[in-house]
Amino acid sequence: MPQKMLKFVDVPRGMPEKRAAEARRGDFDEIYREYAAAKAEEQSSRCSQCGVPYCQTHCPLHNNIPDWLKLTAEGRLEEAYAVSQATNTFPEICGRICPQDRLCEGNCVIEQSGHGTVTIGAVEKYITDTAWEEGWVKPAAPRVERPESVGIIGAGPGGLAAADMLRRRGFQVTVYDRYDRAGGLMIYGIPGFKLEKDVVMRRNKLLEDGGVTFELGKDIGVDIAFQELREKHDAILIATGVYKSRDLGGPGAGLPGILKALDYLTASNKTGFGDTVAEFESGELNANGKKVVVIGGGDTAMDCVRTAIRQGASSVKCLYRRDRANMPGSQREVANAEEEGVEFVWLSAPKGFVGDDRANGVRVAKMRLGAPDVTGRQTPEEIEGADYTEPADIIIKALGFDPEDLPKLWDVEGLDVTRWGTIKTDHRTHETALDGVFAAGDIVRGASLVVWAIRDGREAADAIAAKLDARASVVAAE
Ligand code: SF4
């Protein structure tokens, strides 16, 4: 067979076709089209098959990227899918929403050498979407049914990854979530233009088809006591994520018209499902025809600004206290947002809100970047006397998330937490201070990426299985 790989010198980097910004503004469909087969093969063939693949080492799941690129280049897609899904529960989701520019693609050797990265994320998406179309994605069919049951609290990526791994081993798995649909932030946080909802719903159905039970709309500590779950299941995994929005103080902080990012995004996503959301209908959580100001520079802020554009906002501005080079969000997302009409107001920090009965503006302090702090990031400093008011009809706070106080909410003693409120676990086993209770994902590591939650969920599933296996062998020996 002629050499298929190392084509990066002759073949330029090519992403799948991106829909025109004007068309994107009018709907919540994903913005990238799918590769055609020939294009996916061609782009995969650019990989130089590095002996030390930095793409793989910088992937939290250590996905075997060079191998599935080679298989794709050779047209061996079913094998490519088998390799891809061996390390990742949701490859088509990671292909869509991972910030590849900060992970695999940002570290790709041919990106570093100036040839433009292999389009790893787009190929990963193509492989798994093809696998779905071809019927290669199969529900769990364990060879042996195990009597032990595991209760998983939280149907986000960490909880669902663990559910899949445990069910494939034959354990009886029930996933509890306070929302009415499974998926966590993948369903109600991330907008459809980055991750269409049927991509998540077909995964939920696959888990159900494989025997995972879902108890949705069940809030632990309200509808079911945590202790009741411990008595019901042989092991518990806490994978709730972090949902407490970071707040902003200052004058006018409590005025109506100042929204939490997650409330805003959830209302939009629910509406996308056809649900009736009273606060969306009333206009409270709907940007249509309004001047919108979003505060924050992370991925959630990017999701909010781009949602507001699609809802028909009259203007959308994003305030961030550092500059473009120092923002935490993906540069690719910033570029997409700018194309769609978002205006970024860099070096701008909120000092308070103006308005009488309702916020109608943000008081903004202008900043400059000063000396680097201990992490090496330049600290923003206020420029005296440069304040101004940014007019707004709605203001969305997207400043990140902290853990809720689970020991208090769930009335549980002995569940140790860190000073940040995240749950303390043994880093090797993911087990908490409570015997048989494990924790994984953002509730342990703090707000992070979906791909890290998947990794943590998979590792926790291994640890839970090992614990239940050990218990079973003790019982068998008695
Ligand atoms: Fe291929 Fe880039 Fe990974 Fe090297 S770093 S194996 S070129 S994708």
Side-chain angles (χ1 to χ4, degrees), residues 150-153 162 166 226 230 234-240 410 415 423-426 428-441 443-444 456-457 459-468 471:
V150 182
I152 297 177
I153 308 172
L166 288 163
F226 181 72
R230 281 194 82 189
D234 298 284
I236 297 287
L237 175 65
I238 302 171
T240 53
W410 294 354
L415 184 65
I423 295 178
K424 269 190 193 166
T425 58
D426 178 319
R428 287 160 306 165
T429 64
H430 295 268
E431 193 162 11
T432 68
L434 299 174
D435 184 43
V437 177
F438 297 74
I443 194 60
V444 176
D456 293 347
E459 282 184 359
D462 285 344
I464 292 168
K467 177 136 190 159
L468 296 179
R471 273 192 205 155

Side-chain angles (χ1 to χ4, degrees), residues 47-50 53-56 65-66 69 107-110 118 120:
C47 170
S48 70
Q49 298 285 285
C50 304
Y54 287 112
C55 56
Q56 184 169 5
I65 295 164
L69 287 171
N107 290 283
C108 171
V109 167
I110 64 172
V118 178
I120 298 166

Side-chain angles (χ1 to χ4, degrees), residues 260-343:
K260 291 179 183 166
L262 202 53
D263 291 346
Y264 174 69
L265 293 172
T266 302
S268 174
N269 280 312
K270 276 183 168 283
T271 307
F273 275 109
D275 298 353
T276 302
V277 180
E279 287 173 303
F280 183 86
E281 301 297 320
S282 71
E284 193 63 26
L285 295 177
N286 184 353
N288 187 261
K290 296 182 177 146
K291 287 193 287 289
V292 177
V293 170
V294 176
I295 301 169
D299 291 331
T300 304
M302 298 306 104
D303 292 344
C304 290
V305 289
R306 298 178 67 200
T307 295
I309 288 279
R310 285 159 174 79
Q311 287 178 347
S314 60
S315 71
V316 182
K317 293 189 181 185
C318 182
L319 302 184
Y320 181 55
R321 64 197 178 123
R322 290 187 166 90
D323 60 6
R324 176 191 288 259
N326 287 288
M327 70 178 298
S330 162
Q331 294 294 328
R332 195 184 288 175
E333 291 303 296
V334 177
N336 286 333
E338 283 183 324
E339 284 170 12
E340 290 161 8
V342 175
E343 184 185 334

Side-chain angles (χ1 to χ4, degrees), residues 36-97:
K39 188 82 178 165
E41 289 178 21
E42 176 206 78
Q43 288 296 310
S44 300
S45 76
R46 297 180 66 243
C47 170
S48 70
Q49 298 285 285
C50 304
V52 181
Y54 287 112
C55 56
Q56 184 169 5
T57 50
H58 284 85
C59 169
L61 291 163
H62 300 309
N63 284 337
N64 195 343
I65 295 164
D67 278 9
W68 51 252
L69 287 171
K70 185 164 189 286
L71 289 164
T72 304
E74 292 172 357
R76 296 158 63 186
L77 270 191
E78 191 166 358
E79 292 160 87
Y81 167 67
V83 174
S84 167
Q85 65 87 47
T87 55
N88 189 353
T89 315
F90 308 120
E92 76 282 23
I93 294 177
C94 288
R96 285 169 164 86
I97 61 169

